[in-house]
Amino acid sequence: MRPVVEIVPPDGFGLWPVVETERFALLPLHGGLTPAEVGTVMMGIAEYLRDDDLPPRPDDPVGHFLHGLLTADEGLCASGGLQVTDTSTGVVFRPGCCEGLEDRRQWHRVTEAGEPLWYGHEPVTPAALPHGDTVRLVVDTLRSDSEVIEVSVDELRRLLAGAERDLAAFLVLAAGWASVHVPAHAAGVVDALARLVDLPAPERPGPDFG
């Protein structure tokens, strides 16, 4: 299980280094990303939260681009979520269109309350369906022959804990990245990211990204 965020093609983006990517690509978040990959994640999240009707917008290009991320008191969101790969079969359970990275704690309703969760709608409807001590991750419930990943409830708890560690490590990277590439907005960026994933902001700056 990895937390992932949907990223967008750069299309001439030049505010900080980013990597080339295909449209609707999902990038895993963890502590091993390169500075350009962190920059790509930041570009995607900020682009997703852009609101050109939200006044007042700063004049500087970086502040202008980050305005939605920095001013959203509520409604922080990022297209993506938690992706699970069965390493024995290669089956991948991807976030649905109705899931965002900010929704990751809903997964605990499956493990703690035994509730089924649906993550999207047509054309693909993934779902996590509890069956006693097992959870069936159905790639597309609209198909009778859908691929399925089966995990025990205990294993799913371990996977969720690992995904949270990945997010915490990413926040440390993001703090270091922000201190170098958007220093005037670093504190606000890190605080917004921490609130988005519902984790404490790092107490110290991350590694040197210079």
Side-chain angles (χ1 to χ4, degrees), residues 12-18 43 60-66 177 181-182:
F13 183 84
L15 294 179
W16 53 72
V18 294
M43 176 190 69
D60 72 285
V62 173
H64 186 92
F65 184 72
L66 294 174
W177 177 90
H181 295 283
V182 291

Side-chain angles (χ1 to χ4, degrees), residues 114-161:
E115 297 182 14
L117 288 179
W118 281 264
Y119 297 106
H121 51 74
E122 292 185 277
V124 179
T125 305
L129 307 176
H131 286 265
D133 294 333
T134 302
V135 177
R136 302 179 76 241
L137 304 179
V138 184
V139 174
D140 185 2
T141 56
L142 297 177
R143 294 176 47 192
S144 60
D145 61 345
S146 174
E147 297 174 310
V148 176
I149 299 175
E150 292 195 3
V151 295
S152 69
V153 172
D154 287 342
E155 177 62 17
L156 186 53
R157 290 192 181 105
R158 288 191 288 271
L159 291 173
L160 290 169

Side-chain angles (χ1 to χ4, degrees), residues 187-201:
V189 164
V190 175
D191 178 69
L193 287 177
R195 287 187 288 118
L196 191 156
V197 300
D198 193 18
L199 288 173

